[in-house]
Amino acid sequence: MKEEPKADFSLILASSVHDMKNSLGMLLNSLESVMQETPAENEAQAKRFATLQYEASRINTELIQLLSVYRMENDRLPVQVDEHYLIDVLEEQVARNDMLFQTRSLTVEVDCDEDLLWYFDAELIGGVIHNVLVNGARYSKSKMKVKAEINDDELIVTVSDDGGGYPSFMLGCPQQSFVKSVSFSEGNTHLGLYFAQETARLHSRNQRQGRIDLSNGGDLGGGVFNIFLP
Amino acid sequence: MGALNYADLKVLVIDDFDSFRLTVSKMLDEFGCGQVVTAVNGRRALKACEEGEFDVVLCDYNLGPGPNGQQVLESLRVNKLMGRQSLFLLVSAESSKSIVLSAYDYEPDAYLTKPITGRGLKQRLDRLLRQRDEMMPVQQSLDAGDIDGAIAMAIGCIPGGSRYTSAFQKLLGELFLETGRIAEAEDLYTKVLEVRPLDWARVGMSKVKSANGEMETANEWLSQIIDGNPFCMQAYDALADNCQQQQNIERVQEVLQAAVEVSPMSIVRQASLAEAASGNHDYKVASKAYSRTVRLGEHSCHDRLEHHLQFSRVTASMLRDDPGANTDVAREGLRVLDQLSKRFELSSEARYTAQLLESQLHACRGDVRRAKDILDEVETNLPDQELSLELQLDRVATYQGLNNEAKAGELLEALLDEYKDDEDSLRSIDLWLEEPVSDFNTKLVARINNEGIGFYQNDQFDKALNSFRRAARLFPNHLGVHLNLVQALVADMKEFGVSDESMDTCLTSLAKVERKIKPGHAQLDRYRQLQHMVRSLGQ
């Protein structure tokens, strides 16, 4: 008897994730319209709106990252490096989450020279920053800061907050792989950090590879995320 | 940075969702835009643009029935409804690479991903408008056709450390290449590449190389770029152009097939692939590519009558070559022909052509009576003279589809006489002949054949098969070539075992010879012998 060819489960998963992502995009869009057309009447309602929006956009980013990781593993995520102004990329990510920050009463400062230029894939790195901001919004008290500078011929983008900081077992990356620290019971797969790490690695130049680093403290006293791009 | 004057802006918002149009128009009002117009689909948008030019167009990619966002952009730019200094922003619900890659000649000024926030949109517009203002004088010179003036101005902008240096460099590089100022282009790309190996500059540099005649180096560069970044569509296009120039149509097809795999939505690329594949007589690939071209053409300003006719033509050729194939695609071909007069204004020649193709497709589906009726009708109406060679060859194909070799032969004789001094025409007639008559093709078939025989004699069956397959593809009626192919397949199967695929090829080729070969033919004995060998291998 001939054996039926088995469908590749990761492929099925990837295409279904793709579908989910599109639906969710529509959902987010409608939600935004609802919030604009019928503004919240009281604080409880505003909170519910905020939760809806936050959780939906979190699923959305997670799905996008899942797809990207799938493509990375199948060598279908080429890096399209071009020259970009950091201020444009960072401000775009902050503006994208404007509503989220407002509903959480967070102020987000961008500290970046207007003329700072660097070379990277803006879509990928934008996605990394977006994810760190969305996650940070959950843990910050009132302030976040995004900073970009060049040091030792390398771009460093730092996202810091005034929250409780990263748990100690997560510090000191990238020596430790994030996927290994998956904790289903805590509902945290650290997919975002894995994505950030792999995206950073895809940026390399003259034998130098991009990397990320997590620490606590910094200007605001909370968690500090760094991404280094040669 | 000076303040931007939003009050002077005329903006068009296109989306089939009411809520999006409403939300975005409200945002634009809040920014102080002078005039905000909305349109619910592509057709209405184009109409609005005919009535007056917009400074900024914000357009969703998915617009329901009718043209999509990219097609709206193409129509606007091709029909000059939008100058270079106007901005086109393409919006989509997902940041899908396939949308980004569908752009061919005309790229939007920006891609936006939904959901759009007021603050995000304002920032984006501020940036784009600043860049537009700075580049305006250069773009205006280009719109006025003054390329040299534009170049001079763009050069002037770079040393001042403009924020848009990179944009000026990209534009300048293209303008240098366009105007043949190759040394200056080389200088510019070298300077960029010294800082970073950016793809656009590497593609530009490869164009410098090919302009200087270093085709092989250019091709190597381009292949390397594609290896590193399979989404760099400009590299595929440049490589396909080079191969076209080198008259290596087989390579053109290969490159475009890879490009279309990555970016299937560009009608221009699909049409180029279809053309290359039909030039190579690879009718399977050609039929599929033309089918996609026709479908993408439905709402595109790049739709052409020729694509529709060619789809039917290559599909009929494909089915004649492989009588066992599924004939569903013939029905699609008939449907396309049926729609022709609704989509295009047809000349009488085009009408005859369409009818001949219709007859061919019916014959492919086994409906011989219908095929004959249509052919008879055309023949009665055809004028006696002044028929184009293409139409005449369509007649030849129609006769052959009805197995009327005698009439096909008669017409071919007449054509050979009429075009005996016209090498180009002879080359197209060759396709239908047992042995080519044009200089070019006579030499070509001899070369490929001898190459194959050389491999065969050295027991390199794989390579020999490649040569004979290619020869049989290029000269489908050449009996000797088919027999060579069968002989090599037999030798290969004797050595490495019988395979279904090789057996099929043998039988198809033998059937082709069977139909054509007449008593007394020099190859008749050889044909019988090979037929016998194939039969005994098949047992």
Side-chain angles (χ1 to χ4, degrees):
Chain A
M1 226 172 75
K2 254 191 187 172
E3 211 175 305
E4 285 289 317
K6 256 193 202 144
D8 175 6
F9 182 65
S10 59
L11 182 70
I12 297 176
L13 202 62
S15 51
S16 118
V17 165
H18 187 80
D19 256 10
M20 288 192 256
K21 183 170 72 83
N22 288 345
S23 300
L24 205 65
M26 301 277 270
L27 194 140
L28 272 168
N29 230 10
S30 317
L31 184 63
E32 185 122 346
S33 314
V34 169
M35 283 162 72
Q36 247 153 24
E37 285 157 22
T38 50
E41 282 164 10
N42 53 51
E43 202 159 313
Q45 222 173 38
K47 261 209 168 127
R48 241 172 272 140
F49 273 164
T51 311
L52 266 175
Q53 200 201 21
Y54 176 74
E55 295 301 333
S57 68
R58 233 174 65 95
I59 303 173
N60 197 32
T61 18
E62 193 119 338
L63 292 178
I64 291 174
Q65 283 165 357
L66 258 181
L67 267 185
S68 306
V69 169
Y70 172 79
R71 291 193 184 119
M72 274 176 196
E73 295 197 339
N74 290 281
D75 285 327
R76 295 200 46 194
L77 192 79
V79 188
Q80 291 179 302
V81 175
D82 208 343
E83 187 183 87
H84 302 281
Y85 282 99
L86 262 300
I87 188 88
D88 294 347
V89 177
L90 299 182
E91 282 193 338
E92 187 173 331
Q93 297 311 322
V94 173
R96 189 173 157 190
N97 293 300
D98 192 32
M99 193 81 89
L100 170 67
F101 299 140
Q102 274 181 37
T103 45
R104 298 217 161 220
S105 318
L106 291 173
T107 50
V108 181
E109 181 197 347
V110 176
D111 175 8
C112 169
D113 189 308
E114 282 274 327
D115 296 319
L116 181 60
L117 266 173
W118 202 247
Y119 303 87
F120 52 90
D121 184 320
E123 203 183 312
L124 285 176
I125 297 300
V128 169
I129 305 294
H130 166 72
N131 175 55
V132 176
L133 287 173
V134 171
N135 259 315
R138 189 178 200 174
Y139 300 109
S140 309
K141 288 190 202 111
S142 64
K143 264 188 269 174
M144 290 181 80
K145 186 170 160 187
V146 189
K147 186 176 164 190
E149 63 193 330
I150 308 288
N151 186 17
D152 187 21
D153 207 20
E154 232 180 9
L155 169 73
I156 310 171
V157 181
T158 307
V159 183
S160 45
D161 62 51
D162 63 352
Y166 290 101
S168 54
F169 74 92
M170 285 174 68
L171 303 175
C173 297
Q175 288 88 341
Q176 150 206 21
S177 165
F178 291 107
V179 249
K180 285 198 186 124
S181 61
V182 168
S183 157
F184 286 110
S185 56
E186 284 168 42
N188 199 340
T189 56
H190 301 309
L191 178 69
L193 289 174
Y194 177 70
F195 171 73
Q197 177 182 290
E198 293 307 302
T199 304
R201 277 192 189 159
L202 285 172
H203 288 76
S204 62
R205 182 172 64 122
N206 303 338
Q207 275 92 47
R208 285 171 84 177
Q209 222 174 14
R211 64 192 191 284
I212 65 168
D213 173 73
L214 303 179
S215 57
N216 287 328
D219 295 354
L220 301 178
V224 180
F225 168 93
N226 279 308
I227 184 164
F228 302 83
L229 301 176
Chain B
M1 271 182 279
L4 289 161
N5 198 353
Y6 275 84
D8 288 344
L9 288 186
K10 211 178 142 191
V11 188
L12 175 63
V13 181
I14 315 164
D15 195 333
D16 53 341
F17 278 105
D18 299 344
S19 63
F20 181 83
R21 285 198 313 276
L22 217 81
T23 330
V24 172
S25 328
K26 220 160 76 190
M27 289 177 193
L28 292 166
D29 282 339
E30 277 164 26
F31 304 162
C33 290
Q35 197 184 342
V36 181
V37 178
T38 63
V40 62
N41 61 36
R43 262 188 220 97
R44 295 213 181 156
L46 290 172
K47 196 132 193 285
C49 291
E50 277 166 25
E51 283 156 16
E53 199 171 321
F54 289 90
D55 301 292
V56 178
V57 176
L58 247 151
C59 182
D60 191 52
Y61 182 80
N62 278 314
L63 295 173
N68 65 30
Q70 178 67 31
Q71 291 169 329
V72 170
L73 168 63
E74 285 173 1
S75 290
L76 289 179
R77 300 272 197 223
V78 167
N79 298 322
K80 310 246 180 264
L81 294 171
M82 230 182 142
R84 278 167 173 268
Q85 69 272 18
S86 322
L87 297 173
F88 191 98
L89 284 65
L90 192 62
V91 186
S92 67
E94 45 160 349
S95 54
S96 157
K97 292 242 186 238
S98 76
I99 291 176
V100 174
L101 292 168
S102 67
Y104 183 76
D105 284 334
Y106 300 104
E107 269 187 64
D109 297 281
Y111 293 96
L112 303 181
T113 311
K114 285 183 183 175
I116 288 180
T117 63
R119 205 174 139 194
L121 181 60
K122 180 76 181 358
Q123 268 176 17
R124 203 62 185 268
L125 278 175
D126 280 352
R127 279 204 324 256
L128 288 164
L129 289 168
R130 283 218 176 82
Q131 177 166 358
R132 180 191 82 153
D133 287 353
E134 190 151 339
M135 296 187 84
M136 183 88 91
V138 178
Q139 302 285 22
Q140 276 169 344
S141 307
L142 286 177
D143 274 341
D146 177 15
I147 299 191
D148 290 334
I151 289 179
M153 255 184 271
I155 294 176
C157 292
I158 290 177
S162 157
R163 195 169 176 78
Y164 309 104
T165 298
S166 170
F168 277 120
Q169 283 174 322
K170 278 183 201 176
L171 181 65
L172 254 182
E174 281 162 26
L175 295 177
F176 281 145
L177 286 170
E178 207 179 305
T179 47
R181 292 163 73 167
I182 307 300
E184 285 162 282
E186 181 164 17
D187 193 44
L188 182 143
Y189 291 128
T190 309
K191 279 195 187 121
V192 175
L193 290 172
E194 271 166 11
V195 184
R196 282 274 172 159
L198 299 176
D199 284 345
W200 64 266
R202 291 168 78 199
V203 172
M205 195 53 120
S206 83
K207 288 183 178 166
V208 168
K209 303 267 178 222
S210 49
N212 287 334
E214 300 167 54
M215 288 302 221
E216 288 314 317
T217 317
N219 290 352
E220 218 166 282
W221 272 58
L222 291 165
S223 304
Q224 276 173 18
I225 298 169
I226 294 171
D227 277 348
N229 177 7
F231 289 107
C232 183
M233 301 321 290
Q234 298 88 336
Y236 293 93
D237 296 335
L239 186 53
D241 279 352
N242 284 356
C243 298
Q244 189 83 45
Q245 266 185 54
Q246 295 173 297
Q247 301 205 353
N248 185 350
I249 312 298
E250 271 139 349
R251 183 95 177 95
V252 174
Q253 182 183 332
E254 258 171 53
V255 173
L256 289 173
Q257 260 178 287
V260 157
E261 188 92 8
V262 180
S263 161
M265 297 300 286
S266 158
I267 179 175
V268 182
R269 232 174 256 125
Q270 287 284 1
S272 312
L273 168 61
E275 197 184 321
S278 41
N280 288 324
H281 305 166
D282 188 341
Y283 297 123
K284 243 185 175 158
V285 173
S287 169
K288 197 167 158 198
Y290 272 123
S291 160
R292 285 182 170 171
T293 309
V294 167
R295 247 178 288 160
L296 290 170
E298 198 185 343
H299 302 291
S300 164
C301 57
H302 295 298
D303 196 24
R304 299 282 176 276
L305 169 63
E306 195 49 32
H307 299 156
H308 295 240
L309 294 174
Q310 268 293 81
F311 170 54
S312 308
R313 192 176 283 128
V314 299
T315 301
S317 301
M318 171 182 83
L319 293 171
R320 274 197 303 274
D321 271 2
D322 183 4
N326 187 328
T327 56
D328 283 354
V329 60
R331 259 212 314 257
E332 195 189 327
L334 287 169
R335 206 167 40 237
V336 166
L337 290 174
D338 192 48
Q339 300 289 319
L340 272 189
S341 55
K342 280 186 205 129
R343 301 186 57 85
F344 301 97
E345 202 148 322
L346 299 178
S347 65
S348 59
E349 163 129 359
R351 261 198 306 276
Y352 294 134
T353 305
Q355 277 184 298
L356 289 172
L357 295 174
E358 198 187 336
S359 164
Q360 290 177 31
L361 288 170
H362 280 302
C364 293
R365 299 188 65 214
D367 192 347
V368 176
R369 230 187 58 195
R370 193 102 177 253
K372 276 190 173 145
D373 285 349
I374 297 171
L375 175 61
D376 285 346
E377 195 194 322
V378 181
E379 302 270 83
T380 352
N381 296 329
L382 268 185
D384 275 344
Q385 54 214 4
E386 303 266 340
L387 297 177
S388 73
L389 177 59
E390 203 177 22
L391 183 68
Q392 295 284 37
L393 291 175
D394 281 332
R395 277 174 84 191
V396 171
T398 314
Y399 295 141
Q400 289 202 339
L402 287 164
N403 290 321
N404 194 342
E405 296 291 338
K407 274 196 110 169
E410 208 175 286
L411 181 51
L412 282 170
E413 285 297 320
L415 291 174
L416 281 178
D417 188 51
E418 186 180 345
Y419 292 99
K420 59 176 179 283
D421 301 319
D422 180 350
E423 166 81 6
D424 280 347
S425 301
L426 289 179
R427 274 174 71 172
S428 19
I429 300 174
D430 278 341
L431 170 61
W432 302 97
L433 303 176
E434 203 179 303
E435 305 254 346
V437 293
S438 71
D439 255 7
F440 179 88
N441 282 329
T442 315
K443 282 181 192 143
L444 182 63
V445 72
R447 189 166 57 84
I448 307 176
N449 234 338
N450 288 335
E451 187 185 272
I453 292 168
F455 289 134
Y456 179 81
Q457 283 166 348
N458 287 321
D459 292 340
Q460 291 174 287
F461 298 139
D462 261 9
K463 285 187 175 169
L465 282 172
N466 268 341
S467 302
F468 293 137
R469 278 206 185 96
R470 181 164 173 234
R473 198 157 43 71
L474 292 175
F475 303 99
N477 294 304
H478 195 294
L479 302 190
V481 161
H482 280 288
L483 293 177
N484 285 347
L485 175 59
V486 174
Q487 189 170 338
L489 281 167
V490 167
D492 183 73
M493 286 194 284
K494 274 187 176 161
E495 184 91 22
F496 303 107
V498 176
S499 81
D500 286 352
E501 200 193 333
S502 302
M503 212 59 193
D504 280 352
T505 314
C506 282
L507 293 175
T508 315
S509 278
L510 286 174
K512 217 165 197 165
V513 177
E514 168 89 53
R515 278 203 298 276
K516 309 248 171 200
I517 205 159
K518 293 187 187 71
H521 196 286
Q523 304 254 27
L524 191 60
D525 284 346
R526 187 171 167 228
Y527 163 66
R528 296 256 179 261
Q529 234 174 347
L530 284 168
Q531 193 182 34
H532 181 72
M533 287 165 100
V534 170
R535 278 194 190 140
S536 51
L537 267 175
Q539 273 157 9

